[in-house]
Amino acid sequence: MKELFAFLFPGSPMVNSLLGTTYISLIPNLLLYFVPEDIKPESLNTLVAFAIGGLLGDVFLHLLPHSFMGEIETGDLIVAHEKKNVVVGLGIFAGFFAFFCLDKLMRVLSGGEGGHSHSHGHDHGKKVDGENEHHHDHDHDHDHKHKDEGKDSTVRQRKGNKEKDVAKNDADQSKPTTKEVKLSAYLNLIADATHNFTDGLAMAASFYTSPAIGATTTVAVFFHEIPHEVGDYAILIQSGFPRSKAMMSQFVTAIGAYLGTLAGIAIEEMSRAGGSSHGGEEELALFGIKSIPMRASDLVIPCTAGGFLYIATVGVIPELLTVTGKFAKDARQFASEIVAMMIGLGMMIFIAWNE
C-alpha cells in the first residue's frame, strides 16, 4: 500500500495536492461517459452507500484522530492539551455549520426543492386526469338529464370544453415548471463547484499534514465523487441538459477543486513561512487565547472533518432512508447498501492499519 501511494504521490506536498485534486476531479467525470442517462436509483443508492462508508471511515479513522492527537510515532509520549482540543472541536463544528449554511442557502434559493425536483411531470399529469374525470362525470349526468335535447351538439361541446381546459392547464403550468427546473439545475452546479472548492482545501491540508493522511483523504474523496458526480449528471439530464452539455458542466465545476487546492496551498505556505520567521511554531490567538501550540492552517483538517460529517450524515444518508413500501424490494436494497457501506469502511480500515 505504501509503495502504491508513493508511486501515485511522488512529489512535495504542493505537487501531491495538485495530483490528488486531478485524480478526484478528472477520473470520476470521465466515467460519466459510460453512465447511462437512465441509471436506476437503486444502483445509485448502492454507490452512495459505498461512498458513505469511505467518507465516515476517513473521518473517524484518520481526520479526527489526527486532529486531536497529531502524527504519533512509536514510543512518543502524548500530552493532551485541553485548550487545543477545544479549538479543534470548534473547528469541527465550524466545518459542519458551514456546510449547513451552504445547504440551507441552496434550498432557499431553489424554492425549497433541495436543489432539484423529480415530481413536476407526475403531479401535472395527475392534476389533468383529475380535471378530466370531473368534466366527464359532470357531462355524463348532464347527458342523462337532457338526452332528448341534442345529444350530438352536447358531445361536441363537451369535447371542446375539455380540450380548452387541458390546453389552459398546460399553458399555466409548463412555463413555471421549466423555469424552476432550469434554475434548480444551475443552482446545483453552483453548489457542486462550492463543494469541489472545499474538497480542494481538504487535499492541500491533508498532504501538508502528512503523505498518509493526504493519500487516505484522496481515496475517500475519490469514491465519494463517483456517485456524487453521477447524481449531479442525472439531475442535469432530467432538467433538460443535452448529454454533452451536462458532461461539460461537470468538468467546469471541477475548476472549483483546483481553486480550493491553490487556496489551501497558499494558506499552508503562508502559515509555515510565518512560523519560520518567528523562529518557532506560530501560536493561534483565538478568543484572546495565545498559549495554544497550533498554526492557523491546523484548523483546516478539523473543518474538513466537520464538512465530511455533514455530507455523509445530513446530506446523503437521508436519501438512503427512503423506502418504496414493497418489503422484498426494500429488504434487498437495504442489504446491498449495508454491504456496500461496510466495503467502503473496510477499505479505510485496511489503509489505516497498513499506513
Side-chain angles (χ1 to χ4, degrees):
M1 187 63 65
K2 291 182 180 180
E3 291 77 10
L4 177 61
F5 286 157
F7 174 78
L8 294 175
F9 306 105
S12 63
M14 180 186 300
V15 173
N16 290 341
S17 299
L18 293 172
L19 282 175
T21 303
T22 301
Y23 296 149
I24 68 170
S25 299
L26 294 184
I27 298 177
N29 284 327
L30 290 175
L31 293 177
L32 293 178
Y33 180 79
F34 303 98
V35 175
E37 297 182 13
D38 56 345
I39 183 173
K40 294 182 179 180
E42 295 82 2
S43 301
L44 185 58
N45 282 348
T46 302
L47 285 174
V48 167
F50 174 76
I52 290 174
L55 272 182
L56 293 181
D58 188 38
V59 169
F60 290 114
L61 301 178
H62 298 97
L63 298 181
L64 289 183
H66 176 81
S67 296
F68 286 103
M69 305 298 292
E71 287 294 304
I72 303 174
E73 300 294 339
T74 304
D76 285 352
L77 178 63
I78 304 300
V79 179
H81 197 294
E82 189 63 30
K83 293 181 180 178
K84 178 179 177 180
N85 288 342
V86 172
V87 174
V88 169
L90 287 173
I92 296 171
F93 173 78
F96 191 94
F97 183 72
F99 271 82
F100 162 74
C101 292
L102 175 63
D103 191 10
K104 184 69 173 183
L105 178 62
M106 290 296 104
R107 292 172 185 267
V108 171
L109 293 177
S110 63
E113 293 294 340
H116 64 284
S117 175
H118 298 279
S119 59
H120 300 297
H122 296 290
D123 294 342
H124 172 68
K126 289 178 182 178
K127 188 172 183 180
V128 173
D129 291 342
E131 291 182 356
N132 288 347
E133 291 175 5
H134 172 75
H135 283 290
H136 176 73
D137 293 341
H138 174 75
D139 291 334
H140 182 69
D141 294 338
H142 184 76
D143 287 343
H144 278 289
K145 292 179 181 179
H146 305 281
K147 57 185 176 180
D148 295 331
E149 298 179 1
K151 184 175 181 181
D152 293 338
S153 61
T154 302
V155 172
R156 286 195 298 268
Q157 183 180 4
R158 183 178 71 241
K159 290 182 178 179
N161 290 337
K162 287 164 65 177
E163 291 175 356
K164 290 180 180 179
D165 291 338
V166 172
K168 182 179 179 181
N169 194 39
D170 289 339
D172 291 339
Q173 294 192 18
S174 61
K175 291 183 179 180
T177 298
T178 302
K179 182 178 179 181
E180 184 177 359
V181 170
K182 287 294 184 183
L183 175 62
S184 63
Y186 288 117
L187 288 174
N188 187 76
L189 288 176
I190 295 174
D192 189 21
T194 306
H195 172 84
N196 290 339
F197 183 87
T198 61
D199 286 342
L201 284 175
M203 289 293 101
S206 300
F207 278 106
Y208 273 87
T209 300
S210 76
I213 295 294
T216 54
T217 300
T218 301
V219 172
V221 174
F222 175 83
F223 285 109
H224 164 68
E225 282 299 307
I226 293 177
H228 176 75
E229 296 297 337
V230 171
D232 288 341
Y233 173 73
I235 292 171
L236 296 179
I237 293 296
Q238 291 172 354
S239 298
F241 276 58
R243 181 183 177 93
S244 59
K245 185 177 180 180
M247 292 185 63
M248 184 57 63
S249 298
Q250 294 300 95
F251 277 104
V252 171
T253 59
I255 297 175
Y258 285 98
L259 294 177
T261 302
L262 294 175
I265 290 174
I267 293 172
E268 295 288 345
E269 292 292 338
M270 287 188 295
S271 179
R272 291 170 185 265
S276 300
S277 63
H278 289 86
E281 190 175 38
E282 181 186 2
E283 291 184 348
L284 177 65
L286 184 65
F287 304 128
I289 303 173
K290 299 181 179 181
S291 59
I292 302 175
M294 292 176 64
R295 292 186 297 267
S297 60
D298 292 336
L299 286 178
V300 179
I301 288 292
C303 288
T304 300
F308 282 4
L309 277 175
Y310 184 90
I311 292 171
T313 57
V314 180
V316 180
I317 284 183
E319 298 179 7
L320 302 184
L321 297 178
T322 59
V323 295
T324 63
K326 300 177 181 179
F327 178 78
K329 182 178 180 180
D330 291 336
R332 287 194 301 269
Q333 183 63 27
F334 176 59
S336 65
E337 291 169 357
I338 290 296
V339 171
M341 192 178 298
M342 291 300 103
I343 292 175
L345 177 62
M347 181 181 62
M348 289 290 104
I349 294 175
F350 177 79
I351 294 175
W353 202 263
N354 294 278
E355 64 183 13

